[in-house]
Amino acid sequence: GGALSFLELLEQQPYTPLLPLGTTGTLDKAKWVVIAYLRRSCEVEGTQYPWEEYLLFNQQRGFTWLMCSNNHWSWLQPLSAGEVQLGFRGLTYNKQPYREYQRVYARTDYVIGECYWAVKVGELAKASEFVAPPLSVNFDETETEVSVTRGALLSSEEIQKAFSLKQKPPEP
């Protein structure tokens, strides 16, 4: 019978993903759904470098990732660590050499959605990237696990088409 009042205002989310949770898209001839969004960063010589990661799921193919850094999109598919031969300052995957590009500590700054591990804001992982442009092999190491992915660059047009976006994402 009285005036309505808010008990608590919902907090404004600090980041707006280009691909909101629940968005579906077709990549590599399969339909994927965005189930999580992470904002991660690293610090190099006092400068913070952020990027975004989207966890995708397909019922038959499992989990995979889309990463966006400086408007460069990468399709990251899981690899078995046994498929990669590490060497000094490089590695070999599928008989192709990859050179070491960077090693940083990646920090999770923000996360929404469902992940297949208990991710927390502030979590650190040692991230290593090896390249044979336009491909990469990436290692993410925490205290409890190592994940390995193979990355391939995608254009803004490919992302727009795959996820039926009204506007093309910004160019790198």
Side-chain angles (χ1 to χ4, degrees), residues 67-151:
M67 183 179 77
C68 185
S69 176
N70 290 325
N71 298 322
H72 290 273
W73 290 88
S74 295
W75 170 243
L76 302 173
Q77 299 180 358
L79 291 178
S80 165
E83 296 178 76
V84 177
Q85 293 79 45
L86 283 170
F88 183 73
R89 301 216 184 250
L91 61 79
T92 303
Y93 166 69
N94 204 19
K95 298 182 182 177
Q96 180 168 359
Y98 288 72
R99 65 176 170 77
E100 183 177 5
Y101 179 66
Q102 64 183 352
R103 289 179 191 238
V104 297
Y105 282 96
R107 181 181 188 279
T108 301
D109 299 318
Y110 179 74
V111 61
I112 56 172
E114 294 288 329
C115 294
Y116 50 82
W117 79 100
V119 62
K120 297 182 290 190
V121 169
E123 180 178 88
L124 288 177
K126 182 178 171 186
S128 305
E129 183 177 20
F130 299 82
V131 295
L135 303 175
S136 67
V137 172
N138 312 281
F139 289 79
D140 237 36
E141 303 174 50
T142 66
E143 292 179 5
T144 57
E145 71 174 352
V146 176
S147 64
V148 184
T149 55
R150 177 189 165 272

Side-chain angles (χ1 to χ4, degrees), residues 24-99:
T24 59
T26 302
L27 290 167
D28 196 26
K29 300 178 184 173
K31 189 172 185 176
W32 301 90
V33 61
V34 176
I35 62 169
Y37 168 81
L38 287 78
R39 175 88 172 197
R40 299 177 78 198
S41 66
C42 66
E43 186 175 318
V44 178
E45 296 179 355
T47 301
Q48 198 79 9
Y49 295 95
W51 67 90
E52 299 173 309
E53 296 180 3
Y54 297 87
L55 180 57
L56 309 179
F57 179 73
N58 172 280
Q59 187 73 35
Q60 286 74 39
R61 294 177 56 185
F63 300 99
T64 193
W65 292 91
L66 265 181
M67 183 179 77
C68 185
S69 176
N70 290 325
N71 298 322
H72 290 273
W73 290 88
S74 295
W75 170 243
L76 302 173
Q77 299 180 358
L79 291 178
S80 165
E83 296 178 76
V84 177
Q85 293 79 45
L86 283 170
F88 183 73
R89 301 216 184 250
L91 61 79
T92 303
Y93 166 69
N94 204 19
K95 298 182 182 177
Q96 180 168 359
Y98 288 72
R99 65 176 170 77

